[in-house]
Amino acid sequence: MDLKDYQGQIEQLLPLMRESDFNDLLDRILFGESTNVKFLVKMELNRLNAPCQRIIDLRDKYPDTKEFTFGEKRHFLDDTAIKAFEKSLKRFNNIYTMGVFEDVVNQKREPKNTEKTEKVKALLQAEHLNLQRSNARGAERMHFAIPVQFLTQDGQEIAATTSDISTTGLRVKVSLEHRVQTGTDVGIIFTGLQKEFSGPELRAPVPYTLVGQDKTKDIIWLRLARTQDPTRFDNFLDGFIKGNKHRYKINTDNLLHSVTTKGYEQYYLPLMKGLPLFFSHHSEPKLESVLCNSQNLPILEYWRDEKGENSLSQLLNPERIALILKQPGEIKETLIFSFIHHTESKAFFIAASKEELQQSGLKTLFLSFASRKASWRVYKLQLTVAEPTILKRQFNEHSPQNVSRIALEKALEVRYVGWLADVTLEQHKPSYQSLASEIKSANQLNRFVSKKQTHFEQLPFKFVQQRQEKRYNYNTLVELTTKAGVLEGSTQDFSPRGLKIALTQAAQVKKGEKVLISLPKLQSLTKTMNLSRMVYRVVGFNPARTIVHLCVGKHAESHTGTEFFNLLIESNPGKLSEAVEKLPKPGLELALRHLCCHHLLSAVNFVSRHHGHFDIGKLAINAQSHSLVPLLKAFNKEKAQFNLSPIFGDKQLEHLVATRLKNLPGNEANQRIEMYIHIDDKDELKVIRGLDEDFIDDSERKAFINHALQHGHFYSLIIDLTRVGKPDIESIQKELDYIAHYAIHKAKQVENELWAICALVELFDTTEETLYRFGLRDPQS
């Protein structure tokens, strides 16, 4: 074997060698490879990590070398080699290894094509990632070309040929002159199968629904789905595929796309900053559900009142939603401003949309007064009409999923999908405050006090467990000591490195805070371990802060709690029940997650790392309706891609992403950046950018904006940069195993692609908010 063929996997494994689960990671990354290959790769990793005693002396080849000392060794390197040496040290934990030696030597051997490298970087092309999986067919697809007759509702009879077949759908090709509207019901007569089989199930047209079509230069590919109840034909086709799948090639492309998409979802949805919203509409729009995670939880927490009840439905009341829905276009959006007025016993939530402030004539008073409050918030709300019927195709009898009947019925009631993003920036406060030098008649704002409140469901995104171990149900007395005092409660479940506890009253704790845990009743089980005042770190809590999730620190092996719970598990084999989360409507989260992705209202770029370089990978965005599409298509080179050079060109990728990413301390750490962009398309297309720190004051910002509006187009963005952790391979392992059975290289390709992702760059279009704040208007809108 040639190790060069596994260079990508070796690069991924190098920084993971000191992980406790390294062998499991190696098995995942080298999935499907022989034991011999895994052994040789592991030997290569050990060789690269071995300490090196060799001296690098380049004096006979490069005259501008100088002495460079590292440790006790003196090398003679030029500036380029020194940079390569220092860069490689970071890959090998600041130890001079054989890998460092080879990196420096190989770097000097390889001629650099700077011009080509800069040209590739300048493109900054991002492949479009479509998170819609509504056309995915859950059943096995087999390549099978036979003639069929295509019957439309208006009486057309079209000759077509299948490309692949399954029990849930077909892919057929027709000539360009035929026009059939997507969404219509059609009938298919399998004329090719009629020549080989004489069963009655093949005589009548089989009903299908046209769910999509792809045009090429010569033909049109039509995607058809079976949405009716199973018939004798479906049983026939199921048996035909099972009997012939070893004769004809199985098509894994559809499943490959679905699995890859799901892998990207698993990265993004648990870290999405915006809050997905779902509304029903019987007599009026009503907030029914939201999908929450650790990143958008602060939006929910802001709207919790003095009774511990969530008042978000006050912000999204039927009257306000109905007003927004009157807007034209596929996506309706507005800005909502809010603050909280506290009295001795009650919290009053006061909010107004941009339209409401315009109608009331209280814009200046509201914004100047509210922006002086610590509770000041600016939200961007987007709404679109939902298409819940896609769930019927996704969760049918051929695609078994963990979605209960009651959950599916609840999801099918959704009429509108929304997205609420907090776009508040502290540096914007002075701009709003300057609208009025003094505040008069603030009582006029009482008309905006939120009053009506209705119940809605808060559903958590399912994602990779923070504790990578089994959890066991166990109830015993626990004492939590914080800076505020001691609280009593009980454990709900435990793992060797973590605890979930329920408290009798709310704990005043923050994420990442260290607390002390005592287990007085369990202390009687051991005399050698002290189970009092053990140090744990807070990793999460419920909105009321009565359920707290804890984990041990970095040195888990020496932690008393870890040692005790490992012993407890070993001493009680088969006696402890494993903890499993339960939801009131099983599968509702999964169904709403599909709606959220189908009607994607956000925009996120997945940044990958290859051979030490950060690359623009894929961009998930609504390619037809998102407000940033014109910006990201301005410099586009490929039809199915987006070009991010307006944002990351001129080495901004290195400045905004690579440098900051290296300084982010943890998986959930993130940074928020504001950027102004001027696209000048009058003569030659060019971009002028400005970060917030590039401007001295608001007068410079307004001058930049006015110039951009007069000589092209203006955009303002908030860019959220978030480091990501390991991919959730376990959630797609079953599908990967299936793909690997037919095409192992494709399964490995998916795993490698997901492991390469290192960060998310979420893009928020704040152009409307910026213009509104400065009292400006885009003449082209």
Side-chain angles (χ1 to χ4, degrees), residues 589-603:
E589 173 271 340
L590 181 60
L592 295 182
R593 167 178 167 160
H594 275 73
L595 278 181
C596 173
C597 291
H598 188 80
H599 300 286
L600 188 68
L601 294 170
S602 56

Side-chain angles (χ1 to χ4, degrees), residues 127-132 597 600-606 618-630 632-633 642 763:
E127 182 182 345
H128 178 223
L129 176 65
N130 186 356
L131 293 183
Q132 294 184 359
C597 291
L600 188 68
L601 294 170
S602 56
V604 61
N605 177 229
F606 297 84
K618 294 186 177 182
L619 178 74
I621 192 173
N622 183 326
Q624 283 72 45
S625 306
H626 199 284
S627 57
L628 289 178
V629 167
L632 302 176
K633 286 284 190 181
F642 292 88
L763 305 173

Side-chain angles (χ1 to χ4, degrees), residues 192 321 615:
I321 298 301
D615 298 322

